Amino acid sequence: MPNLAKLPTGSYHLLQGNEAIARGALEAGVQYCAAYPGTPSTEILTNFAAVAKEAGLHAEWSSNEKVATEAALAAAYAGLRSISSMKNAGLNVAMDTLQHINLATLGDQNGAMLVVVADDPQSHASGDEEDTRWVAQMANAPLLEPSSFQEAYEMTKYLFDLSEEFQIFCWLRDYTRLAHARGRVQVGEYRKAERQAKYDRTKMFTPYIAPPKHAILVEKMAKIRERFEESPFNSYEGPDSPELLIVCCGSGAPCSRDAVEELNLGDRVGILKLGTLWPFPSRLVVSHIRNAKRVLVVEEVDPYVETHAKAAVADARLADVPEILGKGSGHFSYVGENNPDRVISALCQIFDMDYQARDPEYQAKLDEITARMVVNRGLIWCAGCPHRASFYSISNAIKRDGRNAVVTSDIGCYTMDAFPDGTQVTNTLHCMGGGLGEACGFGQLEQFGFEQPVIGICGDSTFFHASITPLVNAIYNKANMVAIILDNSITAMTGFQPHAGTGRMATQEPTAIVSAEELCRTLGCRVEVVDAFDTKTSTAKLLDLMKDEGGVKVLILRHACELQRMREERRHPYTVWVETEKCKGDKCSFCYRILQCPGIGYDQVTGKAKILEALCAECGLCADLCPSKAIVKEERA
Amino acid sequence: MAISADPLNLIICGVGGQGNILLSGMVGSAYIKKGGFATIGETFGAAQRGGAVFSSVRVSQKREYGPLMPEGRAHLIIGLEPLETLRMVQKYANPDTVCISNTYPVVPAGVAANRDVYPELDELKDAITTLTRKSWFLDATGIALELGAPIAMNIVMIGAVLGTEQLTLTVDDIQAQLQASLPPDRLELNYDALSRGMKAVA
């Protein structure tokens, strides 16, 4: 990770999309930065936190995206430039606030606020492919979408100025193939921002009374639309009257360029790349469509540009309307991310061309060999992960309880329990805090004859993010449930961010520890705290809590994330080995088939279990649980 | 002789946690330092840990290419894990592709559980060799374990890449990248890993 405050003016760097955004914000004078970690948006705040001291920033991991957005809003009210960054799912959490801001305006202290939302087409690390572009329209926020790393940097700077000028928050759409991709960026001048915060207490900013404020906002958006019609973020490359006009945005631009080059269609196909997506530059788009015989819209997930382009053409009442192809025509899927091959395939269909990535003979050989040999690699917890131990205990307790407990879970590394290689004890899985929220419901079905025990699962970071409110609801409404907090003492899934329970801030500065167990006890819950690796006690306690009919019980299974622990301690806790003569191999297969740890596997030669030296974390879990006592652990001196 | 294509399309693949990202970043930065464009497409985050991961690296003097290359268009595949090497050969190789692969297997959960069968190493190597113009194999993990630092496997691998002379990058280019990304007390070990990798394919 480069130090973004130290890149010399004019120099070129390989920057991640998220780093380009962070550098742009620094150059624009951002001073207040707040976020909750979420792939693929996390590194924006990580980079601010890394330079917070020297750049004089406030950089915080907020408890959730709504709080982050409200905190950033306050900073803008106080005249600072602020940023709130989040993943697509985080937007849903922040939306209540975002929907209001631009009606209320950012106040009168010349503050500015940028919201960055990172979508995840293909759901590389998300529960869905939510396309957030529509929401900018709903919230009346100007939306730009970069299609290169340089543009991500430049748009960020531009949007801070636009925000300050119109006193509304602006929106930058980030996405996986930008956020977590890297490319060349030439940076400009960075100077430490020195604005002082202040607020005029005679002023009030609120969306109430909305209609007149809405009218003002509509006027602002009309002015911004005029700007966007002329914006250099929209550009055209190709012949004057192309046989086919590609209209694209975001990752659609590089994919289209690569496809046109691959098929040698540069003389026949023009590419209109849009960077300003809301307000939509309708006149500009129509002026290009007018010159084209046919139009193909290249974008990810929803037909956002396609819908607006079709509306623009309808409004323009063109005499000769060219065909607009895209998702609606079946040339692109609504599902998944863009890649050059998808555009190649659409172009071949349109131009009736034949394209083969490889010659058929080679392809046949490739297919034959790989079909035989390439096996799937499913996702599973790391060697040494405490979740493996926790889910062993949870499955075990549910089995022994015998009443078909229902398990509602949510978002964290423990989500992998629901994947094909997990224990799949999880029954429902949606969003942050959803585990406890759904448990509230299952826990109140008794009057309808529901007798199964209810277990709601959250993580430690998820507890602070969105699980406290459902917990309070469960207590208030007398739900009968066990809430399990899988506490690995870090926000692990997104890359080890601290949270309110860790005693450290985003900048690593020490702070108060908000204790989940004290909070739960104060709320009146029976609380048990067990080391997750103590599977015997964990199982026994959970069995006991499931039998306890006294409302909401909390079980905290605590053990540090193995990756974080290794970073700090740099040594394995035990030496672990298999005593092969005692191992029953496939007759038992508990360690490699049930535990599914990457550190232990089946040895084809001996037919027994085998520690995989390069991967085993020597946590000792398999030694504790081996039915034949064939795996031995010895404490390291 | 170094591959002369523009854009130059590289794939670096392996299992999440093996150090793809550091490698692709070093290669990309080194090319940008030489005055060109480099774009890297990859996915990461804990959800990819232990899963199949790859970085697509595209280098050009002409323009900025997108982070993902078309299928079958890789010039060089650098595999940190042999099964992952074959997975990427399946997607991105053509008869002219060259390949450098670690031979140390990281078995998928399904294989460890004895549900799936991990191919014999010789079979894997034959498959990769058959499907590429030229392939080099080395036990980079074994070398890194000998150095007492399994984590340095990716550096052994980039050493091997330098050793094959398929890229225009030099030892100095990569050492400069190591200096920029590692604490000084880790440098000697990593230089060592680099030269062990180079020797392994010599």
Side-chain angles (χ1 to χ4, degrees):
Chain A
M1 202 168 82
N3 181 324
L4 293 183
K6 286 210 164 72
L7 309 179
T9 307
S11 56
Y12 290 94
H13 299 273
L14 179 76
L15 293 186
Q16 198 189 57
N18 285 341
E19 290 167 348
I21 291 166
R23 170 68 189 202
L26 284 173
E27 287 184 27
V30 75
Q31 288 174 284
Y32 195 101
C33 318
Y36 180 81
T39 312
S41 70
T42 310
E43 296 74 17
I44 299 171
L45 198 281
T46 310
N47 276 281
F48 291 135
V51 300
K53 205 162 179 192
E54 62 193 285
L57 307 180
H58 170 85
E60 72 168 49
W61 288 123
S62 310
S63 289
N64 66 31
E65 294 84 354
K66 181 168 184 284
V67 181
T69 299
E70 284 155 353
L73 172 61
Y77 278 141
L80 305 183
R81 289 190 160 195
S82 67
I83 188 166
S84 170
S85 46
M86 63 200 75
K87 70 175 293 168
N88 54 357
L91 173 69
N92 304 334
V93 179
M95 202 54 221
D96 205 356
T97 305
L98 286 173
Q99 184 62 24
H100 277 187
I101 294 178
N102 286 350
L103 287 169
T105 80
L106 297 177
D108 61 352
Q109 301 294 326
N110 300 318
M113 178 173 171
L114 179 64
V115 170
V116 183
V117 182
D119 283 358
D120 189 17
Q122 199 73 40
S123 296
H124 293 285
S126 306
D128 58 50
E129 297 191 291
E130 177 172 342
D131 187 337
T132 60
R133 294 175 297 173
W134 306 100
V135 181
Q137 181 174 356
M138 181 170 101
N140 280 291
L143 168 71
L144 298 193
E145 178 172 346
S147 57
S148 73
F149 308 89
Q150 187 71 37
E151 216 171 42
Y153 153 87
E154 279 161 11
M155 285 179 169
T156 302
K157 288 172 55 169
Y158 170 82
L159 285 175
F160 273 109
D161 289 340
L162 192 72
S163 168
E164 182 165 325
E165 184 184 345
F166 285 89
Q167 282 302 290
I168 54 178
F169 87 85
C170 292
W171 183 312
L172 185 74
R173 187 200 188 218
D174 196 7
Y175 49 89
T176 302
R177 293 300 181 186
L178 174 74
H180 279 184
R182 289 180 278 181
R184 193 176 85 163
V185 177
Q186 185 181 27
V187 299
E189 191 186 6
Y190 164 67
R191 262 181 305 185
K192 189 172 169 179
E194 309 273 9
R195 284 199 204 177
Q196 294 296 303
K198 56 188 182 302
Y199 190 92
D200 176 355
R201 83 131 275 106
T202 65
K203 299 286 174 54
M204 184 204 282
F205 297 100
T206 159
Y208 299 95
I209 308 272
K213 291 185 176 174
H214 191 184
I216 295 169
L217 186 51
V218 168
E219 261 173 54
K220 281 184 185 176
M221 295 307 280
K223 276 187 194 147
I224 293 169
R225 183 188 295 272
E226 288 307 309
R227 297 260 180 103
F228 284 3
E229 293 283 3
E230 310 290 330
S231 171
F233 293 127
N234 306 319
S235 59
Y236 177 77
E237 58 205 82
D240 291 339
S241 300
E243 283 176 53
L244 180 77
L245 173 73
I246 289 179
V247 182
C248 59
C249 59
S251 70
C255 291
S256 299
R257 284 188 200 112
D258 293 354
V260 168
E261 184 178 295
E262 189 72 31
L263 297 173
N264 269 318
L265 286 171
D267 297 338
R268 302 168 72 184
V269 178
I271 299 176
L272 175 63
K273 190 269 307 177
L274 299 180
T276 67
L277 295 195
W278 186 256
F280 192 76
S282 301
R283 279 205 315 277
L284 173 81
V285 171
V286 169
S287 74
H288 284 276
I289 289 180
R290 202 188 285 276
N291 295 329
K293 293 195 179 67
R294 273 188 295 182
V295 179
L296 176 69
V297 182
V298 182
E299 63 188 321
E300 283 172 325
V301 189
D302 290 342
Y304 172 89
V305 169
E306 187 175 327
T307 303
H308 282 294
K310 284 174 176 168
V313 167
D315 281 350
R317 295 168 184 262
L318 295 187
D320 236 351
V321 183
E323 205 178 357
I324 298 180
L325 311 171
K327 313 251 179 200
S329 65
H331 287 80
F332 286 106
S333 169
Y334 290 79
V335 182
E337 66 181 358
N338 277 330
N339 59 44
D341 293 299
R342 285 188 172 196
V343 187
I344 288 170
S345 153
L347 290 175
C348 285
Q349 206 181 328
I350 292 165
F351 286 99
D352 200 15
M353 291 168 79
D354 189 31
Y355 172 85
Q356 276 166 332
R358 300 175 262 230
D359 78 74
E361 201 181 319
Y362 176 83
Q363 185 71 51
K365 192 164 64 173
L366 184 80
D367 291 344
E368 188 273 315
I369 292 175
T370 53
R372 228 172 350 108
M373 300 177 73
V374 177
V375 292
N376 185 38
R377 188 181 294 278
L379 288 176
I380 193 59
W381 298 300
C382 308
C385 175
H387 294 325
R388 177 171 290 103
S390 296
F391 277 95
Y392 168 78
S393 304
I394 295 168
S395 324
N396 201 15
I398 289 174
K399 218 177 291 162
R400 282 166 59 182
D401 175 82
R403 290 178 294 160
N404 291 318
V406 172
V407 179
T408 57
S409 182
D410 61 21
I411 308 301
C413 289
Y414 48 96
T415 295
M416 281 188 274
D417 178 69
F419 292 4
D421 290 315
T423 72
Q424 301 200 314
V425 71
T426 301
N427 291 116
T428 69
L429 178 68
H430 290 284
C431 56
M432 300 288 286
L436 265 54
E438 288 164 45
C440 280
F442 278 112
Q444 295 180 77
L445 297 180
E446 207 184 327
Q447 72 181 96
F448 306 106
F450 190 81
E451 288 176 347
Q452 294 157 257
V454 178
I455 298 173
I457 293 179
C458 68
D460 45 337
S461 193
T462 320
F463 176 77
F464 294 110
H465 180 285
S467 301
I468 297 172
T469 313
L471 190 71
V472 169
N473 183 65
I475 295 163
Y476 172 56
N477 288 303
K478 299 186 181 176
N480 189 25
M481 60 182 260
V482 182
I484 298 183
I485 305 176
L486 298 175
D487 178 2
N488 59 4
S489 307
I490 203 85
T491 318
M493 192 166 210
T494 44
F496 323 111
Q497 291 77 29
H499 57 68
T502 61
R504 280 177 299 119
M505 301 171 77
T507 53
Q508 301 302 324
E509 190 184 317
T511 182
I513 295 175
V514 180
S515 160
E517 64 253 49
E518 290 311 318
L519 184 59
C520 294
R521 284 198 183 105
T522 304
L523 290 172
C525 302
R526 175 182 165 195
V527 180
E528 303 284 354
V529 184
V530 187
D531 183 331
F533 273 76
D534 182 353
T535 50
K536 218 169 167 176
T537 313
S538 305
T539 307
K541 287 283 183 205
L542 180 53
L543 263 169
D544 188 40
L545 292 177
M546 283 158 78
K547 289 194 179 90
D548 182 342
E549 299 284 319
V552 182
K553 289 80 59 181
V554 177
L555 174 63
I556 300 179
L557 297 178
R558 178 171 293 153
H559 198 97
C561 163
E562 169 61 16
L563 299 183
Q564 179 66 12
R565 192 199 62 75
M566 264 308 269
R567 286 166 139 207
E568 286 163 8
E569 297 175 18
R570 292 187 172 274
R571 62 197 290 278
H572 292 170
Y574 301 100
T575 315
V576 175
W577 67 93
V578 180
E579 293 189 341
T580 314
E581 64 286 357
K582 288 190 193 165
C583 174
K584 296 201 171 76
D586 261 357
K587 279 188 199 135
C588 162
S589 74
F590 173 82
C591 60
Y592 51 83
R593 222 187 284 256
I594 310 293
L595 273 188
Q596 302 234 17
C597 177
I600 196 158
Y602 174 78
D603 187 341
Q604 298 281 352
V605 180
T606 60
K608 305 284 176 80
K610 178 187 166 191
I611 300 286
L612 305 170
E613 195 189 346
L615 302 167
C616 176
E618 300 186 289
C619 66
L621 179 68
C622 56
D624 290 346
L625 298 176
C626 174
S628 312
K629 304 262 176 286
I631 308 175
V632 186
K633 72 172 186 188
E634 195 171 86
E635 208 142 333
R636 282 182 185 251
Chain B
M1 217 185 61
I3 303 161
S4 62
D6 189 335
L8 172 69
N9 294 330
L10 312 176
I11 292 285
I12 303 174
C13 62
V15 176
Q18 282 192 316
N20 265 60
I21 306 283
L22 183 75
L23 269 201
S24 60
M26 288 200 307
V27 170
S29 284
Y31 275 114
I32 284 178
K33 215 167 164 192
K34 284 172 165 312
F37 293 93
T39 315
I40 305 173
E42 56 208 350
T43 57
F44 55 87
Q48 270 72 40
R49 208 166 280 142
V53 294
F54 75 95
S55 304
S56 145
V57 184
R58 312 190 71 195
V59 181
S60 174
Q61 297 300 317
K62 297 183 292 195
R63 66 171 178 93
E64 182 173 87
Y65 279 79
L68 295 175
M69 67 186 73
E71 287 190 11
R73 289 291 177 269
H75 300 101
L76 170 64
I77 296 174
I78 303 165
L80 307 185
E81 201 279 343
L83 175 64
E84 293 315 312
T85 307
L86 184 60
R87 200 188 304 280
M88 286 297 110
V89 165
Q90 179 179 20
K91 187 155 175 145
Y92 290 112
N94 62 62
D96 205 33
T97 303
V98 295
C99 178
I100 302 154
S101 180
N102 186 10
T103 53
Y104 188 93
V106 177
V107 298
V111 171
N114 205 14
R115 283 195 309 265
D116 295 331
V117 176
Y118 194 98
E120 290 291 332
L121 189 58
D122 285 342
E123 239 192 307
L124 255 178
K125 283 161 74 170
D126 279 351
I128 294 165
T129 308
T130 308
L131 294 169
T132 53
R133 178 163 60 79
K134 186 164 170 48
S135 287
W136 289 264
F137 298 95
L138 67 153
D139 181 7
T141 306
I143 294 171
L145 281 168
E146 277 171 34
L147 292 169
I151 190 98
M153 177 275 285
N154 59 346
I155 307 300
V156 175
M157 282 301 297
I158 192 71
V161 173
L162 294 175
T164 63
E165 296 180 338
Q166 294 297 308
L167 299 182
T168 52
L169 297 178
T170 64
V171 182
D172 288 348
D173 292 331
I174 297 299
Q175 286 192 347
Q177 291 301 317
L178 287 168
Q179 280 169 25
S181 54
L182 294 173
D185 64 322
R186 305 293 288 172
L187 280 178
E188 203 186 312
L189 167 77
N190 282 281
Y191 289 174
D192 212 12
L194 207 56
S195 69
R196 291 287 301 271
M198 288 180 75
K199 281 191 201 120
V201 294

